[in-house]
Amino acid sequence: MQSILYCALNRHYVTPELSTVLQDMARDMAAAHPDTVTQVLDAGFPFWNGMPLLPHLSHNDGEKADIAFFYENENGYLRGQTRSPIGYFAFQNGPTSCPKRWPSLRWDMAWLQGVWPNWSLDDRRMATALRLLKNDPRVDKVFVEPHLAQRYGVTGGKVRFQGCRAARHDDHIHMQL
Ligand SMILES: [Zn+2]
């Protein structure tokens, strides 16, 4: 887990299969890029199936998890660090076909963006992470903004756009079984 907060709030529960998938991914990431830490953000509540983990409407069955982006600065890979303290809401702006609209969960949080450190995505680790998820037959869908899917060469198939009304996926990767 990226933050102890997710555990304190009981947002870290997953099915045994998803747990295995995530641990395999972390192992494969570290094999491809030594010293890499792969971090989970929100996953699911333990209480009962069908209870959504707000604001993630789909995180309701222990088969979905959000994975933190991988960052670097001028000194290289930032191990286990995220631009925002909770991993979310540090957006990587890029071209989008979504209109400006309200209400939706597609928050921009422009007022917050200047607060985060000015780190870049670690392109090598981002590309590996998305490729691992795409190639894992146990993974059914991966949500990431189209401009990032394009940048890392993983467009199409199970890599989808979540739609303009849902939360943005240029601050984290969503994956599900
Ligand atoms: Zn998600």
Side-chain angles (χ1 to χ4, degrees):
M1 300 308 292
Q2 181 266 346
S3 164
I4 196 167
L5 255 185
Y6 292 112
C7 304
L9 296 172
N10 282 314
R11 298 169 81 99
H12 62 302
Y13 287 79
V14 294
T15 60
E17 188 186 12
L18 179 50
S19 171
T20 307
V21 169
L22 291 169
Q23 289 175 55
D24 289 352
M25 181 191 176
R27 181 202 59 211
D28 293 346
M29 282 298 298
H33 309 285
D35 216 29
T36 298
V37 183
T38 301
Q39 304 183 101
V40 175
L41 306 174
D42 268 332
F45 282 134
F47 306 119
W48 56 80
N49 285 350
M51 177 158 174
L53 181 77
L54 293 173
H56 315 276
L57 299 178
S58 74
H59 284 231
N60 60 0
D61 58 5
E63 297 201 333
K64 282 113 186 162
D66 291 340
I67 295 169
F69 278 178
F70 300 87
Y71 295 100
E72 64 180 9
N73 65 9
E74 61 280 3
N75 299 318
Y77 170 56
L78 292 156
R79 185 175 191 271
Q81 297 194 64
T82 49
R83 286 178 65 209
S84 102
I86 59 165
Y88 292 106
F89 308 138
F91 299 117
Q92 305 294 138
N93 282 322
T96 174
S97 54
C98 289
K100 286 263 174 220
R101 70 197 305 174
W102 191 92
S104 81
L105 289 170
R106 199 181 164 80
W107 301 315
D108 290 330
M109 299 199 178
W111 53 279
L112 257 180
Q113 299 310 306
V115 173
W116 314 134
N118 191 21
W119 300 339
S120 309
L121 292 178
D122 183 316
D123 285 333
R124 291 166 56 235
R125 285 175 177 80
M126 287 293 296
T128 302
L130 288 166
R131 184 174 44 78
L132 285 172
L133 289 169
K134 185 169 186 177
N135 291 345
D136 189 330
R138 298 166 296 181
V139 174
D140 184 46
K141 287 192 191 104
V142 177
F143 290 162
V144 68
E145 289 286 319
H147 70 88
L148 293 175
Q150 210 150 42
R151 173 167 163 186
Y152 296 116
V154 293
T155 47
K158 66 176 76 168
V159 179
R160 313 273 184 84
F161 177 45
Q162 74 285 351
C164 293
R165 283 196 173 274
R168 291 172 62 158
H169 285 81
D170 52 2
D171 59 340
H172 71 280
I173 302 166
H174 169 98
M175 58 82 73
Q176 62 190 69
L177 300 186

